C-alpha cells in the first residue's frame, strides 16, 4: 500500500480535529490526527487495541494511565490494552497514531 498524504481522505472528527488513514496492512493501521489549539482527544481506553503515538508537530498535554506530561514534536507514548489515555493540543498540532489491530470503526467512518 502506498498513500500520498494529499490524496488521503480526511475525516472530520469535530470542530477542532480531523484524521487521515495513512497506512494499513496486516493488523496495523497508521493514522494522522490534526488538532487545532485547544482540541481534545477525550480520555478513553481500548480493550481490543494497542496504540503507540508520535508527536509530529506542536505540543500536547498527554495523559497515559495515571501520568500526565507535556509532549512536543519528536516525543511519543504507548497506551496498551485498557490503559486510559487522552490528549489536549496546546497549539496547532499533529499526532501520528499506530494501532494494532487496525481500527475497523475508522474504516466505517471513511465510507
Amino acid at each position: 500500500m502506498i498513500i500520498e498524504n494529499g490524496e488521503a481522505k480526511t475525516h472530520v472528527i469535530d470542530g477542532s480535529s480531523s484524521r487521515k488513514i495513512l497506512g494499513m496492512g496486516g493488523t496495523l493501521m497508521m493514522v494522522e490526527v490534526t488538532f487545532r489549539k485547544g482540541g481534545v482527544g477525550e480520555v478513553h481506553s481500548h480493550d481490543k487495541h494497542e496504540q503507540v503515538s508520535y508527536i509530529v508537530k506542536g505540543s500536547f498535554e498527554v495523559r497515559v494511565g495515571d501520568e500526565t506530561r507535556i509532549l512536543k514534536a519528536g516525543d511519543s507514548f504507548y497506551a496498551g490494552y485498557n490503559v486510559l489515555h487522552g490528549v489536549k493540543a496546546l497549539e496547532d498540532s499533529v499526532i501520528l497514531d499506530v494501532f494494532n489491530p487496525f481500527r475497523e470503526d475508522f474504516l466505517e467512518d471513511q465510507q
Side-chain angles (χ1 to χ4, degrees):
M1 171 181 274
I2 297 175
I3 298 174
E4 293 184 23
N5 190 298
E7 295 178 3
K9 184 175 179 181
T10 299
H11 173 76
V12 176
I13 300 168
D14 57 33
S16 62
S17 59
S18 62
R19 70 173 168 251
K20 294 181 182 180
I21 297 173
L22 296 184
M24 193 178 104
T27 62
L28 293 175
M29 174 182 274
M30 183 172 62
V31 180
E32 177 187 80
V33 187
T34 301
F35 289 87
R36 290 190 188 130
K37 180 179 179 178
V40 173
E42 296 293 339
V43 174
H44 64 285
S45 65
H46 310 278
D47 61 346
K48 298 178 182 174
H49 302 95
E50 293 177 280
Q51 176 180 339
V52 63
S53 298
Y54 175 80
I55 312 305
V56 175
K57 172 186 165 192
S59 59
F60 291 89
E61 179 181 275
V62 176
R63 175 182 170 186
V64 179
D66 295 330
E67 186 174 5
T68 300
R69 306 241 326 244
I70 304 299
L71 299 183
K72 60 186 183 324
D75 297 336
S76 59
F77 68 89
Y78 168 76
Y81 299 107
N82 299 308
V83 174
L84 288 172
H85 59 285
V87 300
K88 178 179 180 183
L90 302 177
E91 57 190 298
D92 290 350
S93 301
V94 177
I95 192 167
L96 189 67
D97 293 329
V98 178
F99 298 97
N100 179 45
F102 63 87
R103 297 284 304 267
E104 291 183 18
D105 54 326
F106 286 8
L107 295 176
E108 293 168 4
D109 290 343
Q110 294 291 344
Q111 297 178 12

